Amino acid sequence: MSRTALVTGANSGLGLATVLALARAGVDTVGSVRTAAKAEAVLAAADAAGVEVRTVLLDVTDAAGGKDVIERIRPDILVNNAGGTAFAPVLDVSEEDARHQLETALFGPMRLARFAVPHMRERGWGRVVQISSLAGRITYPLLGWYQAGKHALEAASGALRVELAGAGIDVVVVSPGGFRSGATEEMADAVERHRGTAFATAFRRMDLGFSIMKPLWSEPETVADTIALAATTKSPRSRYVVGVDAHLTLLVHQATEPFAMVRALKEGVVRRVTGL
């Protein structure tokens, strides 16, 4: 049976790779972008890859626009990928910026799911794929509001999964570790912005940590292939973890989290490593 997928944030990086992976899998794929120029870039990439995709203009923080897009496309598969990393100390982020972060990471995806699920119920089949990250399970300094959005998205998705299971609709979380994206440039910008502040050393060391971990990172195409699998397989898992770094980090987290003393020691190590 032919399926239609809507992938948000499809203009570059993981979103673009996901659009191409789904199209290769035979899914009628629509990628959302925020400008006409980005739409042209997606279509050019699809042409170069030898697949056909469609594009639609959408800002996921626009409720009316989101409802209109869902009504026009009526997707069987919704991949909530749009979002961005926010490197900043928690108390340095204005309430307005924090709300925008949560609007993009939490309210936007769940709103699109709310609009899409009635169409999925009519068909007796549907798939909501939520793109999270290690930040949905683990907390580090300097990423507080980004992690708040991902933690909340995973909590809401866990409840939604149970609520929709009887309707033949699967809710799947994909949690990649590091992969090539604009996050490295965002970190470099954060290092520059915080020079001379109390957090300057922490940002420099986090940037160094990125460099050290890069050999363990995945390619966006590898993550995209997992997303396509989660979106199309007959019986998906509730969660897919992608990347050597992600598996190792979660293994350490799961082994130490139950023990309060170990958690305290781990936080102490983080503080020493980051200079906090």
Side-chain angles (χ1 to χ4, degrees):
M1 183 180 298
S2 176
R3 304 292 189 192
T4 299
L6 172 64
V7 181
T8 64
N11 60 282
S12 64
L14 180 57
L16 178 57
T18 299
V19 165
L20 300 180
L22 284 168
R24 291 191 191 98
V27 178
D28 175 22
T29 307
V30 183
S32 84
V33 295
R34 289 190 292 176
T35 68
K38 290 179 178 179
E40 290 297 326
V42 172
L43 295 176
D47 184 62
V51 296
E52 291 188 8
V53 302
R54 293 184 284 152
T55 61
V56 64
L57 296 182
L58 173 65
D59 183 333
V60 297
T61 66
D62 177 5
K67 185 174 184 178
D68 178 66
V69 164
I70 293 295
E71 289 301 316
R72 284 189 283 130
I73 296 171
R74 299 171 67 90
D76 306 280
I77 300 165
L78 172 63
V79 180
N80 281 311
N81 167 74
T85 311
F87 296 105
V90 170
L91 299 184
D92 284 2
V93 178
S94 70
E95 185 170 325
E96 180 182 3
D97 288 344
R99 286 181 183 276
H100 180 75
Q101 179 69 35
L102 294 178
E103 181 68 33
T104 303
L106 173 63
F107 296 118
M110 299 310 294
R111 183 188 301 121
L112 290 176
R114 184 168 68 249
F115 294 150
V117 161
H119 303 302
M120 297 176 183
R121 284 186 183 276
E122 288 179 6
R123 302 182 186 101
W125 191 95
R127 195 70 49 88
V128 178
V129 183
Q130 311 281 46
I131 309 307
S132 184
S133 75
L134 287 179
R137 301 282 296 278
I138 301 173
T139 302
Y140 294 109
L142 310 181
L143 279 166
W145 286 107
Y146 173 73
Q147 292 166 153
K150 292 301 187 184
H151 274 66
L153 178 67
E154 293 209 12
S157 297
L160 186 64
R161 178 183 305 114
V162 178
E163 293 164 1
L164 296 180
I169 302 169
D170 292 294
V171 179
V172 183
V173 170
V174 176
S175 299
F179 58 89
R180 180 169 43 82
S181 69
T184 51
E185 289 76 18
E186 292 175 25
M187 170 54 74
D189 291 342
V191 170
E192 288 300 317
R193 288 199 312 272
H194 290 85
R195 286 190 186 278
T197 72
F199 295 96
T201 297
F203 275 103
R204 287 198 307 271
R205 291 183 180 178
M206 182 175 279
D207 189 30
L208 176 61
F210 270 33
S211 299
I212 292 172
M213 293 297 290
K214 274 184 182 179
L216 299 180
W217 286 6
S218 304
E219 290 298 318
E221 292 76 14
T222 302
V223 183
D225 287 342
T226 300
I227 294 171
L229 172 66
T232 58
T233 190
K234 183 178 180 180
S235 300
R237 292 180 287 191
S238 61
R239 173 187 299 275
Y240 291 83
V241 177
V242 189
V244 174
D245 61 326
H247 284 282
L248 288 176
T249 302
L250 283 177
L251 183 63
V252 171
H253 175 71
Q254 291 164 356
T256 60
E257 189 62 17
F259 305 100
M261 183 178 295
V262 177
R263 287 202 307 273
L265 288 172
K266 186 168 63 175
E267 289 188 2
V269 170
V270 171
R271 288 183 60 197
R272 286 184 177 276
V273 169
T274 59
L276 293 170

